[in-house]
Amino acid sequence: MNKNLCLRLSIVLLVAGLLHIAPSGARAAPGPATFTEIQPLVFGLIVPGAAGGTLTVDDTGAVSVTGTATYLGGASNAQVLINSCLGSTARQIVLTTGPLSGPGANLVMTQLTCTSPGNTSRNNRCSNFAGTAGNDILLIGGTISIPAGQTNGVYTGTFNIVGNNNPACP
Amino acid sequence: MFEKIKYKSIVLSSIIFVLCFAYNASAANIQADAEIVGNITVTETTALDFGQFSSGVSAGTVTFSTSGVISSSTIDIVLLGGEINGIANLDTTGAGAGPLVTVTINGATLTGPGVMPFQANCEGPAGVPGLLDTPCTFLSAGGTANIIIGGVLNVGADQPPGSYAGFITVTAEF
């Protein structure tokens, strides 16, 4: 490749890159999409019972239990604000479970579910949707496993949410 | 010199190209929590005592209400006093106010020189007595609560005199 062609190619790439990151008046504020917790995922008060079981809080906050576990109240779904570029399509929003730690052995979070605007619930991810002025809310539920004889007390932890926007924000 | 500039330009442009056209990725950790509450513990505070009475030629019953009123069903059974309602203490600490507590109680048999079957009932803090051998319920206040126990004792005709004893099973759960 001759040096003139290399130089022209470099200039073209450089200009293309600069145009891409230049602010545009038609977009929301520049920067990547962000997630903000509005309310945490709360599984509430649980009595394990003789054989333990599972407790599920769905995306709407409804609770169901299995086994001998008894739910006493206090559960709520998580609500997460995603601030994304106007009109962009939020893709690949992936949820990753994490343990809840406390006075006894960790409580295992076995699954997360997510409902994004205009979509049905998905397991461990949120469906693609088009961002609307940066104020979309994701509704998230989850399931924990409760062993028999679990030590009494409060258990806390976090789950991770990762998302990509395509095209990237200017 | 020009070769170095060309090489650096290509590298710099490539880097800018890759950075600008990469997806914008973001991540966050969202809080999650749960609270484990233990089963309700039940402790005897006071034993149920039907007191002293004499039996007669006719069989009958001695009824001891949770409000402390004792009565016999026949004139052959003469009540002589000493009756005490049973009291059991339930610990619902940690459950908070609101969850419904169900107390299951079952009578059994008093044994001694003879046998006398009985049925039991309970009354929670709300003051509403349950039916014989039927669960009573109340809303947890998040701490300890007492239930009062009464019952009906079946006395046989010419029941042999002496001391009789037995056990009542009390189970409490949310």
Side-chain angles (χ1 to χ4, degrees):
Chain A
M1 184 187 294
N2 62 50
K3 53 187 154 188
N4 284 335
L5 180 58
C6 287
L7 182 58
R8 283 198 291 270
L9 178 60
S10 301
I11 293 171
V12 167
L13 291 175
L14 179 61
V15 170
L18 291 173
L19 285 175
H20 185 76
I21 62 175
S24 165
R27 296 276 187 175
T34 59
F35 296 105
T36 304
E37 176 185 307
I38 297 176
Q39 70 180 34
L41 177 58
V42 180
F43 293 96
L45 294 174
I46 309 157
V47 181
T54 66
L55 185 142
T56 297
V57 180
D58 73 11
D59 300 347
T60 69
V63 176
S64 59
V65 292
T66 66
T68 62
T70 301
Y71 166 65
L72 300 183
S76 65
N77 59 353
Q79 294 185 19
V80 178
L81 176 72
I82 175 171
N83 186 294
S84 52
C85 299
L86 178 67
S88 68
T89 300
R91 300 179 185 275
Q92 302 173 2
I93 300 177
V94 176
L95 308 176
T96 305
T97 61
L100 303 185
S101 59
N106 287 347
L107 292 176
V108 177
M109 198 185 306
T110 57
Q111 180 172 276
L112 292 163
T113 56
C114 176
T115 298
S116 55
N119 292 285
T120 57
S121 181
R122 293 286 186 268
N123 292 336
N124 297 318
R125 68 180 181 90
C126 303
S127 294
N128 302 341
F129 64 98
T132 56
N135 289 321
D136 298 301
I137 294 179
L138 305 173
L139 305 179
I140 299 171
T143 300
I144 55 171
S145 179
I146 307 146
Q150 183 72 19
T151 304
N152 292 356
V154 175
Y155 292 75
T156 61
T158 60
F159 66 87
N160 185 254
I161 181 167
V162 177
N164 297 321
N165 274 354
N166 178 31
C169 294
Chain B
M1 169 81 175
F2 184 74
E3 291 295 324
K4 287 184 180 178
I5 294 173
K6 175 192 71 177
Y7 178 72
K8 289 178 182 176
S9 297
I10 292 174
V11 171
L12 176 61
S13 301
S14 300
I15 292 173
I16 294 173
F17 180 87
V18 169
L19 290 177
C20 292
F21 287 94
Y23 294 156
N24 277 337
S26 58
N29 288 321
I30 308 300
Q31 188 73 27
D33 58 64
E35 183 171 354
I36 301 298
V37 179
N39 290 318
I40 302 172
T41 56
V42 181
T43 306
E44 176 189 294
T45 302
T46 305
L48 172 63
D49 190 343
F50 285 93
Q52 293 183 319
F53 52 87
S54 61
S55 65
V57 297
S58 303
T61 60
V62 173
T63 299
F64 192 16
S65 74
T66 54
S67 59
V69 177
I70 194 160
S71 61
S72 66
S73 61
T74 76
I75 59 174
D76 284 344
I77 299 174
V78 178
L79 302 176
L80 302 175
E83 65 277 6
I84 305 172
N85 278 121
I87 298 176
N89 183 261
L90 278 57
D91 188 354
T92 63
T93 302
L100 183 70
V101 178
T102 300
V103 182
T104 303
I105 186 165
N106 293 302
T109 301
L110 300 184
T111 58
V115 295
M116 287 189 286
F118 74 95
Q119 296 170 291
N121 70 326
C122 57
E123 178 181 318
V128 178
L131 300 176
L132 293 173
D133 287 358
T134 301
C136 55
T137 62
F138 64 94
L139 295 178
S140 167
T144 60
N146 287 332
I147 60 165
I148 301 173
I149 301 170
V152 174
L153 185 66
N154 294 281
V155 181
D158 294 322
Q159 185 76 39
S163 294
Y164 291 74
F167 292 95
I168 299 173
T169 300
V170 178
T171 305
E173 58 187 354
F174 293 108

Coordinates of all heavy atoms in Angstrom, one line a residue, chain A residues 107-159:
Chain A
L107 N -27.9 -17.6 51.0 CA -29.1 -18.0 50.3 C -28.8 -17.8 48.8 O -28.2 -16.8 48.4 CB -30.3 -17.0 50.7 CG -30.8 -17.2 52.1 CD1 -31.9 -16.1 52.4 CD2 -31.4 -18.5 52.3
V108 N -29.1 -18.9 48.1 CA -28.8 -18.9 46.7 C -29.9 -18.3 45.9 O -31.1 -18.7 46.0 CB -28.5 -20.3 46.2 CG1 -28.3 -20.3 44.7 CG2 -27.3 -20.9 46.9
M109 N -29.6 -17.3 45.0 CA -30.6 -16.7 44.1 C -30.5 -17.5 42.8 O -29.5 -17.5 42.2 CB -30.3 -15.2 43.9 CG -31.4 -14.4 43.3 SD -30.9 -12.7 42.9 CE -30.2 -12.1 44.4
T110 N -31.5 -18.3 42.5 CA -31.4 -19.2 41.4 C -31.8 -18.6 40.0 O -31.4 -19.1 39.0 CB -32.3 -20.4 41.6 OG1 -33.6 -20.0 41.8 CG2 -31.8 -21.2 42.9
Q111 N -32.6 -17.5 40.0 CA -33.0 -17.0 38.8 C -33.5 -15.6 38.9 O -34.0 -15.2 40.0 CB -34.2 -17.8 38.2 CG -34.7 -17.4 36.9 CD -35.7 -18.3 36.2 OE1 -35.3 -19.3 35.6 NE2 -37.0 -18.1 36.5
L112 N -33.4 -14.8 37.9 CA -33.9 -13.4 37.8 C -34.8 -13.4 36.6 O -34.6 -14.1 35.6 CB -32.8 -12.4 37.7 CG -31.9 -12.2 39.0 CD1 -30.7 -11.5 38.6 CD2 -32.7 -11.5 40.1
T113 N -35.8 -12.5 36.7 CA -36.7 -12.3 35.5 C -36.8 -10.8 35.3 O -36.7 -10.0 36.3 CB -38.1 -12.9 35.7 OG1 -38.7 -12.4 37.0 CG2 -38.0 -14.4 35.8
C114 N -37.1 -10.4 34.1 CA -37.2 -9.0 33.8 C -38.3 -8.7 32.8 O -38.4 -9.4 31.8 CB -35.8 -8.5 33.2 SG -35.8 -6.8 32.7
T115 N -39.0 -7.6 33.0 CA -40.0 -7.1 32.1 C -39.6 -5.7 31.7 O -39.5 -4.8 32.5 CB -41.4 -7.1 32.7 OG1 -41.8 -8.4 33.0 CG2 -42.4 -6.5 31.6
S116 N -39.3 -5.6 30.4 CA -38.9 -4.2 29.8 C -40.1 -3.7 29.1 O -41.1 -4.4 28.8 CB -37.7 -4.4 28.9 OG -38.0 -5.3 27.9
P117 N -40.2 -2.3 28.9 CA -41.3 -1.7 28.3 C -41.8 -2.4 27.0 O -41.0 -2.6 26.1 CB -40.9 -0.3 28.1 CG -39.8 0.0 29.1 CD -39.1 -1.4 29.3
G118 N -43.1 -2.7 27.0 CA -43.6 -3.3 25.8 C -43.3 -4.8 25.5 O -43.6 -5.3 24.4
N119 N -42.7 -5.4 26.5 CA -42.3 -6.8 26.3 C -42.8 -7.7 27.4 O -43.2 -7.2 28.5 CB -40.8 -6.9 26.3 CG -40.2 -6.3 25.0 OD1 -40.3 -6.8 23.9 ND2 -39.6 -5.1 25.2
T120 N -42.8 -9.0 27.2 CA -43.1 -10.0 28.3 C -41.9 -10.3 29.1 O -40.7 -10.0 28.7 CB -43.7 -11.2 27.7 OG1 -42.8 -11.8 26.7 CG2 -45.0 -10.9 26.9
S121 N -42.1 -11.0 30.2 CA -41.0 -11.3 31.1 C -40.0 -12.3 30.4 O -40.4 -13.2 29.7 CB -41.6 -11.9 32.3 OG -40.5 -12.3 33.3
R122 N -38.7 -12.1 30.7 CA -37.7 -13.0 30.2 C -36.8 -13.5 31.4 O -36.7 -12.8 32.4 CB -36.8 -12.3 29.2 CG -37.4 -11.9 27.9 CD -37.6 -13.1 27.1 NE -38.1 -12.8 25.8 CZ -39.4 -12.7 25.5 NH1 -40.3 -13.0 26.4 NH2 -39.8 -12.4 24.2
N123 N -36.2 -14.6 31.3 CA -35.4 -15.2 32.3 C -34.0 -14.6 32.2 O -33.4 -14.8 31.1 CB -35.4 -16.7 32.3 CG -36.7 -17.3 32.7 OD1 -37.5 -16.6 33.4 ND2 -37.0 -18.5 32.2
N124 N -33.4 -14.1 33.2 CA -32.0 -13.6 33.3 C -31.6 -12.6 32.2 O -30.4 -12.5 32.0 CB -31.1 -14.9 33.3 CG -31.3 -15.7 34.5 OD1 -31.5 -15.3 35.6 ND2 -31.4 -17.0 34.3
R125 N -32.6 -12.0 31.6 CA -32.3 -10.9 30.7 C -33.5 -10.0 30.5 O -34.6 -10.5 30.8 CB -31.8 -11.4 29.4 CG -32.8 -12.2 28.5 CD -32.2 -12.7 27.2 NE -33.2 -13.4 26.4 CZ -34.0 -12.8 25.5 NH1 -33.9 -11.5 25.3 NH2 -34.8 -13.5 24.8
C126 N -33.3 -8.9 29.9 CA -34.4 -8.0 29.5 C -34.5 -8.0 28.0 O -33.5 -7.9 27.3 CB -34.3 -6.6 30.1 SG -34.0 -6.5 31.9
S127 N -35.7 -8.0 27.5 CA -35.9 -8.0 26.0 C -35.5 -6.6 25.5 O -35.5 -5.6 26.1 CB -37.4 -8.2 25.7 OG -37.8 -9.5 26.1
N128 N -35.2 -6.6 24.2 CA -34.8 -5.4 23.5 C -36.0 -4.4 23.5 O -37.1 -4.9 23.3 CB -34.4 -5.7 22.0 CG -33.3 -6.7 21.9 OD1 -32.6 -6.9 22.9 ND2 -33.2 -7.3 20.8
F129 N -35.7 -3.2 23.6 CA -36.8 -2.2 23.5 C -36.2 -0.9 23.1 O -35.0 -0.7 23.2 CB -37.6 -2.0 24.8 CG -36.7 -1.5 25.9 CD1 -36.8 -0.1 26.2 CD2 -35.9 -2.3 26.7 CE1 -36.0 0.4 27.3 CE2 -35.2 -1.8 27.7 CZ -35.2 -0.5 28.0
A130 N -36.9 0.0 22.5 CA -36.4 1.3 22.0 C -36.5 2.3 23.2 O -37.5 2.5 23.8 CB -37.2 1.8 20.9
G131 N -35.4 2.9 23.5 CA -35.4 3.9 24.5 C -36.3 5.1 24.3 O -36.4 5.5 23.1
T132 N -36.9 5.6 25.3 CA -37.8 6.8 25.2 C -37.4 7.9 26.1 O -37.7 7.8 27.3 CB -39.3 6.4 25.5 OG1 -39.3 5.8 26.8 CG2 -39.8 5.3 24.5
A133 N -36.6 8.8 25.6 CA -36.2 10.0 26.3 C -35.5 9.6 27.6 O -35.5 10.4 28.5 CB -37.4 10.9 26.6
G134 N -35.0 8.4 27.7 CA -34.1 8.1 28.8 C -34.8 7.7 30.1 O -34.2 7.8 31.2
N135 N -36.1 7.5 30.1 CA -36.8 7.2 31.4 C -37.6 5.9 31.4 O -38.7 5.8 32.0 CB -37.8 8.4 31.7 CG -37.1 9.7 32.0 OD1 -36.1 9.7 32.7 ND2 -37.6 10.8 31.5
D136 N -37.0 4.9 30.9 CA -37.7 3.6 30.9 C -37.4 2.9 32.2 O -36.3 3.0 32.8 CB -37.2 2.7 29.7 CG -37.5 3.4 28.4 OD1 -38.7 3.6 28.2 OD2 -36.6 3.7 27.6
I137 N -38.3 2.1 32.7 CA -38.2 1.4 34.0 C -38.3 -0.1 33.7 O -39.2 -0.6 33.0 CB -39.3 1.8 35.0 CG1 -39.1 3.3 35.4 CG2 -39.2 0.9 36.2 CD1 -40.1 3.8 36.3
L138 N -37.3 -0.8 34.2 CA -37.3 -2.3 34.1 C -37.8 -2.8 35.4 O -37.5 -2.4 36.5 CB -35.8 -2.8 33.9 CG -35.1 -2.2 32.7 CD1 -33.6 -2.6 32.8 CD2 -35.7 -2.5 31.4
L139 N -38.7 -3.8 35.3 CA -39.3 -4.5 36.4 C -38.6 -5.9 36.6 O -38.6 -6.7 35.6 CB -40.8 -4.7 36.3 CG -41.6 -3.4 36.0 CD1 -43.1 -3.8 35.8 CD2 -41.4 -2.4 37.1
I140 N -38.1 -6.1 37.8 CA -37.2 -7.3 37.9 C -37.7 -8.1 39.1 O -37.9 -7.6 40.2 CB -35.7 -6.9 38.1 CG1 -35.3 -6.2 36.8 CG2 -34.9 -8.2 38.3 CD1 -33.9 -5.6 36.9
G141 N -37.8 -9.5 38.9 CA -38.2 -10.4 40.0 C -37.1 -11.4 40.2 O -36.0 -11.4 39.4
G142 N -37.3 -12.4 41.1 CA -36.2 -13.4 41.3 C -36.7 -14.5 42.2 O -37.8 -14.4 42.7
T143 N -35.9 -15.6 42.2 CA -36.2 -16.7 43.0 C -35.0 -17.1 43.9 O -33.9 -17.0 43.5 CB -36.5 -17.9 42.1 OG1 -37.6 -17.6 41.3 CG2 -36.8 -19.2 42.9
I144 N -35.3 -17.4 45.2 CA -34.3 -17.8 46.1 C -34.6 -19.2 46.6 O -35.8 -19.6 46.8 CB -34.0 -16.9 47.3 CG1 -35.3 -16.6 48.1 CG2 -33.4 -15.6 46.8 CD1 -35.1 -15.9 49.4
S145 N -33.6 -20.0 46.9 CA -33.8 -21.3 47.5 C -33.6 -21.2 49.0 O -32.6 -20.5 49.5 CB -32.7 -22.3 46.9 OG -32.9 -23.5 47.5
I146 N -34.5 -21.8 49.8 CA -34.5 -21.7 51.2 C -34.3 -23.1 51.9 O -35.3 -23.9 51.8 CB -35.8 -21.0 51.8 CG1 -36.0 -19.7 51.0 CG2 -35.7 -20.8 53.3 CD1 -37.5 -19.4 50.8
P147 N -33.1 -23.4 52.4 CA -32.9 -24.7 53.0 C -33.7 -24.8 54.3 O -33.9 -23.8 55.0 CB -31.4 -24.7 53.2 CG -30.9 -23.6 52.5 CD -31.9 -22.6 52.4
A148 N -34.1 -26.0 54.7 CA -34.6 -26.3 56.0 C -33.6 -25.9 57.0 O -32.4 -26.2 56.8 CB -35.0 -27.7 56.1
G149 N -34.0 -25.4 58.1 CA -33.1 -25.1 59.2 C -32.2 -23.8 59.0 O -31.2 -23.6 59.7
Q150 N -32.5 -23.0 58.0 CA -31.7 -21.8 57.7 C -31.7 -21.0 58.9 O -32.7 -20.7 59.5 CB -32.3 -21.1 56.5 CG -31.5 -19.9 56.1 CD -30.2 -20.2 55.4 OE1 -30.0 -21.3 54.9 NE2 -29.3 -19.3 55.3
T151 N -30.5 -20.4 59.2 CA -30.4 -19.6 60.4 C -31.2 -18.3 60.3 O -31.2 -17.7 59.2 CB -28.9 -19.2 60.6 OG1 -28.1 -20.4 60.7 CG2 -28.7 -18.4 61.9
N152 N -31.9 -17.9 61.4 CA -32.7 -16.7 61.4 C -31.9 -15.5 61.1 O -30.7 -15.4 61.6 CB -33.5 -16.6 62.7 CG -34.5 -17.6 62.9 OD1 -34.8 -18.5 62.0 ND2 -35.1 -17.7 64.1
G153 N -32.5 -14.5 60.5 CA -31.8 -13.2 60.4 C -32.0 -12.6 59.0 O -32.6 -13.2 58.1
V154 N -31.3 -11.5 58.8 CA -31.4 -10.7 57.6 C -30.3 -11.1 56.6 O -29.1 -11.2 57.1 CB -31.4 -9.2 57.8 CG1 -31.4 -8.4 56.5 CG2 -32.6 -8.8 58.7
Y155 N -30.6 -11.4 55.4 CA -29.6 -11.7 54.4 C -29.6 -10.7 53.3 O -30.7 -10.3 52.8 CB -29.9 -13.1 53.8 CG -29.7 -14.2 54.8 CD1 -30.6 -14.5 55.8 CD2 -28.6 -15.1 54.7 CE1 -30.5 -15.5 56.8 CE2 -28.4 -16.1 55.6 CZ -29.3 -16.3 56.7 OH -29.1 -17.3 57.6
T156 N -28.5 -10.2 52.9 CA -28.4 -9.2 51.9 C -27.4 -9.5 50.8 O -26.4 -10.3 51.0 CB -28.0 -7.8 52.5 OG1 -26.8 -7.9 53.1 CG2 -29.1 -7.4 53.5
G157 N -27.6 -8.9 49.6 CA -26.6 -9.1 48.5 C -27.0 -8.2 47.4 O -27.8 -7.3 47.5
T158 N -26.5 -8.5 46.2 CA -26.8 -7.7 45.0 C -26.9 -8.7 43.8 O -26.4 -9.8 43.8 CB -25.7 -6.7 44.7 OG1 -24.5 -7.3 44.5 CG2 -25.6 -5.7 45.8
F159 N -27.6 -8.2 42.8 CA -27.5 -8.9 41.5 C -27.0 -7.8 40.5 O -27.1 -6.6 40.7 CB -28.8 -9.5 41.1 CG -29.9 -8.5 40.8 CD1 -30.1 -7.9 39.6 CD2 -30.8 -8.2 41.8 CE1 -31.1 -7.0 39.3 CE2 -31.9 -7.3 41.6 CZ -32.0 -6.7 40.3

